[in-house]
Amino acid sequence: DVRDAVSKVRADLPDGVDVEPAGQACGRQARAKSLRDAKMIGPKKPDPLQELQIKGRKFVAKIQAEVKQARIDDDARFLKTWFDKPLVTGAVSPSSKALARKMAGYVEPESMGPVVERGPGTGPVTDALIARGIAEERLVLVEYNPEFCTLLAKRYPRATIVQGDAYALETVVAPHLKKPAAAVVSSLPLFTKPEKLRLALLPRAIELMRPGAPFIQFTYATVSPEPRKRANFEAHVSPRVWKTLPPACEWVYRRLQA
């Protein structure tokens, strides 16, 4: 048979010479060819576009994680402040983006003068005002909470940050206004305040503003925070914003032109 024939051939070969089985020879040759091919081709170079896409996805994921964490931190800060002083904070979480955009939409970027924001908290309405086209330098942010003031100063270094009672317009706000205000945007609660203080707020605010400038106040209530039938003032209410909890609406007050 084949084995006997191979043994006979091997016996007739000179010393040092042998016969390699065909299967082993084929395997050895295939391995040698693979090694030669690997040396000739070398490691595959990565595609520059693919590398850029991978790095881009990692960067976006990192930013999204940071933004999500910042949002969680803001919610936690707000909730803690509400538990500490519920009548001062007035809300358990920052204004939603939908509500903030709606409030900022009543402010005209072309109007001259500073824009006063009462109770900016962690800055959702501030962000919406800047996105609306209001220069950061024009913003006067009046916040009672010192922790929020520190946060606002880091986020909006070119804005004017005023720590104090936003109801004390003449003593706290007015000294920081070089020109009449183009608008007052208020996220502070009104119904939690005594009626006398609440009714005095709008006339005092109007005195610091340009003629026809809006005083914008959001509320969770179903009625106007300020009396609608007041001499020399007009009031406008927005549709209720359902993409915020609880649902809220904005009231816009202006002094009637003579």
Side-chain angles (χ1 to χ4, degrees):
D1 60 8
V2 176
R3 293 182 181 179
D4 292 339
V6 171
S7 298
K8 184 177 180 180
V9 171
R10 282 179 173 172
D12 295 337
L13 290 175
D15 293 340
V17 179
D18 196 1
V19 175
E20 185 176 32
Q24 294 182 12
C26 291
R28 181 177 58 78
Q29 292 173 359
R31 288 193 296 273
K33 183 178 185 302
S34 298
L35 291 173
R36 288 197 302 272
D37 292 345
K39 291 180 181 180
M40 293 176 62
I41 297 174
K44 185 179 180 181
K45 295 182 178 179
D47 181 6
L49 178 59
Q50 189 176 21
E51 274 193 327
L52 181 62
Q53 289 175 329
I54 293 172
K55 291 180 180 179
R57 292 191 189 101
K58 289 181 179 179
F59 177 75
V60 171
K62 179 182 178 182
I63 295 299
Q64 287 177 333
E66 291 176 354
V67 169
K68 182 178 180 180
Q69 185 60 48
R71 178 66 179 177
I72 293 173
D73 291 344
D74 285 355
D75 289 344
R77 290 188 185 97
F78 230 91
L79 188 60
K80 176 182 178 299
T81 304
W82 185 83
F83 277 121
D84 292 342
K85 297 181 179 180
L87 295 182
V88 175
T89 304
V92 297
S93 64
S95 300
S96 69
K97 290 184 178 181
L99 181 63
R101 285 195 299 267
K102 191 75 173 178
M103 296 181 73
Y106 291 105
V107 182
E108 296 298 334
E110 298 80 11
S111 299
M112 301 298 292
V115 174
V116 179
E117 186 181 353
R118 302 173 67 248
T122 57
V125 178
T126 312
D127 286 339
L129 288 168
I130 294 173
R132 170 78 171 156
I134 309 299
E136 188 176 315
E137 293 82 358
R138 295 178 58 191
L139 297 175
V140 179
L141 310 179
V142 187
E143 174 58 52
Y144 185 80
N145 186 302
E147 181 181 349
F148 286 167
C149 286
T150 301
L151 180 67
L152 293 168
K154 292 180 180 179
R155 291 183 175 178
Y156 314 104
R158 295 188 297 276
T160 300
I161 314 297
V162 181
Q163 182 180 352
D165 184 2
Y167 284 89
L169 298 175
E170 295 89 344
T171 57
V172 174
V173 180
H176 298 277
L177 302 181
K178 297 179 181 179
K179 297 179 181 179
V184 173
V185 184
S186 176
S187 299
L188 291 179
L190 292 186
F191 283 111
T192 59
K193 295 296 182 180
E195 185 179 17
K196 183 178 179 180
L197 180 61
R198 179 160 51 91
L199 296 181
L201 174 64
L202 183 58
R204 290 175 178 173
I206 292 295
E207 291 298 323
L208 303 178
M209 299 161 63
R210 296 171 56 86
F215 180 95
I216 306 153
Q217 174 71 48
F218 96 85
T219 180
Y220 300 123
T222 57
V223 297
S224 172
E226 293 283 340
R228 298 188 64 176
K229 296 181 179 180
R230 298 184 69 168
N232 303 325
F233 293 100
E234 63 176 0
H236 166 78
V237 61
S238 75
R240 190 160 290 271
V241 179
W242 296 99
K243 291 183 178 181
T244 188
L245 291 177
C249 60
E250 298 87 20
W251 284 86
V252 182
Y253 306 93
R254 289 184 172 88
R255 172 178 284 176
L256 292 172
Q257 301 297 311

